[in-house]
């Protein structure tokens, strides 16, 4: 067994009918780990073909206090 295949890019048809997206923590974590997503400040960059998609992060996961 050799090294696993390296993914060059993914092709994305569309991300929905509205510009706003709600990516799950699991999806973001997985895409960051495989290098298909990058977060810098309040910008999220999704590396897809034919061109990268850029999103502005409006809300990050938070914690809720019950006290």
């Amino acid at each position: 067994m050799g090294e696993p295949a390296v993914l060059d890019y993914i092709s994305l048809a569309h991300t929905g009918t509205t510009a706003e997206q709600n990516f799950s923590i699991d999806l973001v974590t997985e895409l960051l780990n495989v290098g298909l997503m990058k977060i810098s400040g309040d910008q999220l960059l999704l590396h897809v073909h034919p061109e990268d998609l850029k999103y502005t992060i409006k809300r990050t996961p938070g914690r809720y206090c019950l006290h």
Side-chain angles (χ1 to χ4, degrees):
M1 289 187 106
E3 293 290 319
V6 176
L7 184 61
D8 185 39
Y9 67 86
I10 58 173
S11 181
L12 185 63
H14 65 82
T15 58
T17 57
T18 64
E20 291 190 11
Q21 299 298 310
N22 183 11
F23 298 114
S24 72
I25 293 172
D26 291 340
L27 177 64
V28 170
T29 301
E30 182 177 348
L31 293 179
L32 287 169
N33 286 334
V34 298
L36 292 174
M37 184 179 281
K38 179 181 178 183
I39 295 177
S40 179
D42 68 346
Q43 294 294 308
L44 182 146
L45 186 65
L46 184 58
H47 302 294
V48 295
H49 184 76
E51 65 184 51
D52 291 344
L53 298 177
K54 297 176 185 174
Y55 296 93
T56 298
I57 299 172
K58 295 184 175 182
R59 184 175 56 88
T60 58
R63 297 180 185 193
Y64 297 93
C65 181
L66 299 176
H67 299 296

